[in-house]
Amino acid sequence: MASGSLGLQLPRSTRVKNKTAAAIQITAEQILREARERQEPEIRPPKQSITDSDDLADYRLRRRKGFEDVIRRARWKTGTWVAYAAWEESQGDIARARSIWERVLEVDYRNPTLWLQAAAFEMRIRCINHARNIWDRAVALLPRVDQLWYKYAHMEEILGNVAGARLIFERWMDWQPDTQGWLSYINFELRYNEVDRARAIYERFVVCHPRPSSFIKYAKFEAKRGEIARARAVYERAVDLLSEDEEAGQLFVAFAGFELWCKEMERARCIYRYALDHLPKGRADDVHKEYVTFEKQYGDTHGIEDAILRQMRLKYDDEVRKNPFNYDSWFDYIRLEENGGNKDMVREVYERAIANVPPAEEKRYWKRYIYLWINYSLYEELDAQDMDRTREVYRECLKLIPHKKFSFAKIWLMAAQFEIRQRNLKAARQILGNAIGMAPSDKIFKSYIEIELHLGNVNRCRILYEKYLEWAPANCYAWLKYTEFERTLNETERARALFELAIAQPALDMPELLWKAYIDFEIPTEFEKTRQLYDRLLDRTKHLKVWLSYAKFEASAGIEDKTMDNEVQEKNHDIEEKQRKRIERCRGVFERAFDYFRTNVPELKEERAMLLEEWLNLESSFGSLGDISILQNKLPRKVKRKRPISSEDGTPTTGFEECMDYIFPDEVALAPNMKLLEAAYKWKKQKIATDEN
């Protein structure tokens, strides 16, 4: 648009027709070399030659005017001032250069760099008094800038004016600088072997900065000069003053290291132990590491273990004191004491832990707490070998649990199993009986029945199963286990009666498993009862799986007798007749199922199609006795259709999706619109065949 408005015409891009490689190739290196060769020379200003004093004066006037103009426009740009002063210095006009430095210092006197450069200018031209004047003004205006003091004292020291340098340091110390300033003063005195002066400065230093690092430097200073008593006195003074400091651990480590350097092993050990006993948990980590290293080098195994145990005990004590309901910390604390091997300490920690009962009577709060009791009982039984205390632990635990609101089957079973290990079967049965009476659960019933079954008490097992079913009559697992128990005893009638009672219950959690077990129980011997069971089951549910199972049963009922029939084949020729009867009964079941799905639930087309598919497979498996032709006019045709897509909340959307539908022959006869669809289908089929030809 812009090019059109200005009347510009852009060149049209030409289209490359021949894209083959050229005979002569041009490399990137050649392109760069040619560009370099054809580059135009750099434009430089002409050189000006000065021949006399007038030219020099004119040149200086123009340069000064340029500098002054720039300064007038941007007074705050110190770089211009510095460049102006450097140019005047290069011209040998010291007075003008000094004047420029004074002017820039008035503009920005808070800039330490300007003071340093101005003083450096005076020192370059060997004007020491002028330099001292600048330094004095700088440190007076900016006393907190350490570099100014360093440079000032360094200049006096280079000039050999030691007294002047000392005076400067003293003036600096009046401002109470940081640690490095004091150390610079001390190093200055030590360079001239003034040890007493350095010691006095250290005394002032630790008063100004009462920190462990300051006292450590002071003590190392004394130790380096062989003053052991003085160094120890410094450390002791620091411990008295700074034992509550956050960096006290560093002080104790340094003190112990000093005693170790002096070959005083017991003193070092006492210092470490004192630190571990008095320092808080978070500040004693470094002390503990150093103590362990010290014991590894100079102590024995007992000392190392005692040091670790003591430190960890303090840590866990602090944790459980902050949050007594943090049971994970109690577990770690107990494990620590168990590794220590002191039974009294272990029991003390267990008693302290179980005293922290959860404040709310909700099972989710008790799940971690109950394991304290479990571990306590196992410790008393396995490690302490005290059976009376173990029994008392279980008793107190069972008293503490609010069984009316919730219970823990694990505790009941562990208490009973403990009594069994002690060969006290009566006490075990009493515990499990109390559990069934106070807090019955599936786990307790199963374990109690298993115990009595191992002991061979059949009558007790039956009583327990009856109580189990009284407590949970809808539990299919209990019914199945009871019937399985009776079947193992060859009590067929009792098992059948139990099955009848079970299926007569108004509510069951898994009725399909119960009916399947009942049918499997009757199939081997009682065909008529099995058929009656299937009919009773169909009265309750008409699920496709029930119909298919019924039909397969009828197709295979009595096959077990085929071996015996083959043995007497010469006398009895009714094998084929029996097989025909089985097939007829099987077809009868399929017919009933097909009529049900066609008349009662016509919308379940997929289930009806699956039924016919299974029927067809069975007819094929019957061999010569099967008749596939009876299904030809019943098999559906599968077609693709589109249906609107529904959202998750059931509201229709604008989209469609493909789905499979089944068209049965009887539906075609009933629906007139289906005839048109049938004709269209035939026409399309003929057209496809014509196209293929």
Side-chain angles (χ1 to χ4, degrees):
M1 183 183 294
S3 62
S5 62
L6 296 175
L8 299 176
Q9 291 184 356
L10 298 176
R12 182 179 298 175
S13 59
T14 59
R15 189 175 181 183
V16 180
K17 295 182 179 180
N18 186 8
K19 297 184 179 180
T20 59
I24 301 175
Q25 298 291 320
I26 300 176
T27 62
E29 181 182 0
Q30 185 177 354
I31 294 172
L32 294 174
R33 186 169 60 252
E34 290 179 357
R36 178 69 178 173
E37 291 173 355
R38 296 179 182 180
Q39 187 176 6
E40 295 181 357
E42 183 181 357
I43 300 174
R44 297 179 180 178
K47 293 184 178 180
Q48 183 180 5
S49 60
I50 299 173
T51 57
D52 54 9
S53 59
D54 294 335
D55 292 341
L56 179 60
D58 183 60
Y59 164 71
R60 288 176 176 176
L61 180 62
R62 280 188 284 105
R63 287 299 304 271
R64 285 170 181 149
K65 185 176 182 302
F67 278 120
E68 291 293 341
D69 291 342
V70 174
I71 290 171
R72 194 179 302 110
R73 288 195 301 269
R75 185 180 178 85
W76 61 89
K77 288 187 177 180
T78 58
T80 306
W81 290 98
V82 173
Y84 190 8
W87 181 80
E88 291 290 357
E89 184 181 357
S90 67
Q91 296 299 314
D93 197 338
I94 304 303
R96 284 182 177 273
R98 184 176 290 122
S99 174
I100 294 167
W101 281 115
E102 291 295 335
R103 288 166 63 191
V104 71
L105 290 175
E106 289 181 0
V107 171
D108 188 8
Y109 72 92
R110 288 189 177 89
N111 190 345
T113 306
L114 294 177
W115 290 103
L116 293 172
Q117 290 177 339
F121 160 72
E122 297 292 352
M123 288 190 290
R124 278 198 303 273
I125 61 176
R126 299 182 182 278
C127 293
I128 304 302
N129 290 329
H130 282 283
R132 284 176 178 149
N133 179 269
I134 290 176
W135 287 124
D136 285 331
R137 289 156 58 197
V139 297
L141 292 172
L142 302 173
R144 291 299 179 186
V145 180
D146 294 342
Q147 192 174 10
L148 298 175
W149 293 102
Y150 284 132
K151 292 290 186 180
Y152 192 5
H154 181 62
M155 184 191 75
E156 295 293 351
E157 189 175 1
I158 290 176
L159 295 173
N161 187 6
V162 178
R166 185 176 290 117
L167 183 60
I168 293 168
F169 273 116
E170 287 294 335
R171 289 170 58 192
W172 186 14
M173 295 305 110
D174 292 339
W175 288 97
Q176 296 184 353
D178 59 0
T179 302
Q180 194 59 41
W182 288 95
L183 295 179
S184 299
Y185 190 12
I186 292 169
N187 292 332
F188 165 76
E189 295 293 354
L190 292 178
R191 283 196 293 272
Y192 298 99
N193 295 322
E194 297 288 346
V195 178
D196 293 334
R197 287 180 178 271
R199 184 176 291 115
I201 297 169
Y202 262 120
E203 289 290 340
R204 294 162 58 192
F205 170 45
V206 296
V207 172
C208 180
H209 297 285
R211 292 195 291 265
S213 57
S214 304
F215 280 96
I216 291 172
K217 289 182 174 62
Y218 187 11
K220 287 182 177 179
F221 162 78
E222 296 291 358
K224 186 176 181 180
R225 278 147 188 82
E227 298 289 343
I228 304 300
R230 289 178 180 271
R232 185 175 288 118
V234 171
Y235 276 121
E236 291 174 354
R237 195 167 117 205
V239 169
D240 293 338
L241 293 175
L242 305 173
S243 59
E244 302 297 330
D245 192 86
E246 292 183 357
E247 299 178 356
Q250 181 183 359
L251 175 63
F252 284 109
V253 170
F255 193 5
F258 164 75
E259 296 294 352
L260 185 61
W261 178 71
C262 296
K263 308 298 182 182
E264 296 286 347
M265 306 303 174
E266 289 302 321
R267 281 179 175 269
R269 184 175 286 108
C270 292
I271 292 169
Y272 279 126
R273 290 182 178 177
Y274 178 85
L276 292 175
D277 291 339
H278 290 80
L279 287 179
K281 173 184 68 68
R283 303 176 188 171
D285 294 337
D286 295 337
V287 179
H288 174 253
K289 292 179 183 177
E290 294 294 333
Y291 182 34
V292 172
T293 304
F294 168 78
E295 291 291 351
K296 286 180 179 179
Q297 292 179 349
Y298 305 103
D300 53 3
T301 306
H302 178 72
I304 298 173
E305 292 178 353
D306 181 66
I308 296 174
L309 182 62
R310 180 181 303 179
Q311 176 62 20
M312 296 303 293
R313 186 180 292 137
L314 292 174
K315 172 186 174 182
Y316 289 127
D317 271 332
D318 186 55
E319 287 184 4
V320 298
R321 189 182 302 110
K322 290 179 180 177
N323 185 8
F325 297 106
N326 185 3
Y327 299 117
D328 291 334
S329 298
W330 284 111
F331 284 127
D332 295 338
Y333 195 179
I334 290 167
R335 194 177 300 113
L336 174 72
E337 295 296 347
E338 287 180 351
N339 293 333
N342 190 338
K343 292 183 180 180
D344 294 334
M345 289 297 298
V346 174
R347 285 170 176 162
E348 180 185 351
V349 176
Y350 267 121
E351 292 294 336
R352 290 171 56 194
I354 61 178
N356 298 291
V357 182
E361 291 185 351
E362 295 182 20
K363 191 169 184 177
R364 59 193 179 101
Y365 297 119
W366 286 62
K367 285 184 177 179
R368 291 292 290 164
Y369 170 72
I370 204 66
Y371 275 95
L372 291 172
W373 288 95
I374 292 174
N375 292 348
Y376 192 8
S377 60
L378 293 177
Y379 171 78
E380 291 292 351
E381 181 183 0
L382 301 177
D383 295 342
Q385 302 288 328
D386 193 338
M387 304 308 163
D388 293 333
R389 285 186 69 93
T390 305
R391 188 175 288 108
E392 186 64 26
V393 169
Y394 280 122
R395 187 180 298 114
E396 293 299 325
C397 179
L398 291 174
K399 286 181 181 179
L400 183 65
I401 299 173
H403 299 289
K404 292 183 179 180
K405 295 185 178 181
F406 60 86
S407 185
F408 293 94
K410 189 178 186 68
I411 294 294
W412 292 103
L413 295 177
M414 289 185 66
Q417 290 166 0
F418 166 74
E419 295 295 348
I420 291 174
R421 288 193 294 272
Q422 303 306 313
R423 302 181 182 277
N424 192 351
L425 188 59
K426 181 179 178 181
R429 283 174 174 161
Q430 184 178 1
I431 291 171
L432 292 174
N434 291 335
I436 292 174
M438 297 173 64
S441 67
D442 291 332
K443 192 173 182 180
I444 291 175
F445 275 111
K446 292 175 187 177
S447 301
Y448 197 1
I449 291 170
E450 186 179 359
I451 291 172
E452 295 294 349
L453 189 59
H454 283 313
L455 296 174
N457 295 324
V458 176
N459 292 330
R460 284 184 177 272
C461 289
R462 284 175 176 156
I463 294 171
L464 289 173
Y465 272 121
E466 290 172 3
K467 290 185 177 294
Y468 192 3
L469 294 173
E470 288 177 6
W471 174 69
N475 191 340
C476 289
Y477 174 84
W479 288 104
L480 292 175
K481 282 295 183 180
Y482 196 4
T483 55
E484 183 181 350
F485 169 72
E486 294 293 351
R487 289 175 65 185
T488 56
L489 299 176
N490 293 325
E491 294 287 349
T492 307
E493 293 301 324
R494 292 178 68 94
R496 185 176 289 113
L498 287 172
F499 273 122
E500 290 293 335
L501 286 173
I503 62 176
Q505 296 298 319
L508 294 170
D509 54 0
M510 291 183 293
E512 65 278 1
L513 295 181
L514 189 61
W515 280 96
K516 184 179 183 302
Y518 194 5
I519 291 171
D520 293 341
F521 169 72
E522 297 290 2
I523 281 178
T525 56
E526 300 290 342
F527 296 145
E528 284 301 324
K529 289 185 178 180
T530 305
R531 292 187 184 97
Q532 294 173 7
L533 281 176
Y534 271 117
D535 291 333
R536 292 164 63 185
L537 181 56
L538 287 173
D539 291 339
R540 298 193 178 193
T541 178
K542 297 291 193 302
H543 197 274
L544 176 63
K545 290 185 178 180
V546 179
W547 290 108
L548 295 179
S549 177
Y550 193 4
K552 290 178 181 178
F553 159 72
E554 291 293 1
S556 61
I559 291 180
E560 292 80 0
D561 300 333
K562 187 174 180 180
T563 304
M564 183 169 53
D565 290 342
N566 288 334
E567 294 177 357
V568 294
Q569 187 174 5
E570 297 178 356
K571 296 181 181 180
N572 301 320
H573 300 282
D574 57 345
I575 297 176
E576 188 174 347
E577 185 66 25
K578 290 182 179 180
Q579 191 170 359
R580 283 197 184 93
K581 290 181 179 180
R582 288 197 297 270
I583 294 173
E584 290 298 328
R585 286 195 295 267
C586 177
R587 286 173 183 161
V589 174
F590 274 118
E591 290 288 348
R592 288 171 56 191
F594 183 74
D595 292 339
Y596 168 75
F597 282 109
R598 183 182 58 184
T599 58
N600 294 347
V601 283
E603 67 276 4
L604 300 179
K605 294 183 178 182
E606 188 174 358
E607 283 77 358
R608 200 183 341 167
M610 293 172 62
L611 178 71
L612 292 174
E613 185 179 355
E614 288 292 333
W615 191 358
L616 182 62
N617 293 336
L618 279 178
E619 290 289 349
S620 301
S621 66
F622 291 153
S624 60
L625 298 178
D627 187 4
I628 302 176
S629 61
I630 61 177
L631 297 173
Q632 295 299 329
N633 58 348
K634 297 181 180 180
L635 293 174
R637 188 176 68 254
K638 189 182 295 186
V639 295
K640 284 185 179 180
R641 289 186 178 177
K642 290 185 177 180
R643 63 183 178 189
I645 301 175
S646 299
S647 59
E648 295 181 357
D649 56 355
T651 57
T653 59
T654 58
F656 290 86
E657 63 179 357
E658 288 188 352
C659 64
M660 301 303 298
D661 194 10
Y662 296 92
I663 300 175
F664 290 88
D666 52 355
E667 293 179 350
V668 176
L670 293 175
N673 294 333
M674 297 299 292
K675 293 182 180 180
L676 181 61
L677 183 63
E678 183 73 20
Y681 177 78
K682 288 182 179 180
W683 172 81
K684 187 175 181 181
K685 189 174 182 181
Q686 291 174 359
K687 185 179 180 182
I688 293 173
T690 304
D691 294 341
E692 289 179 354
N693 293 332

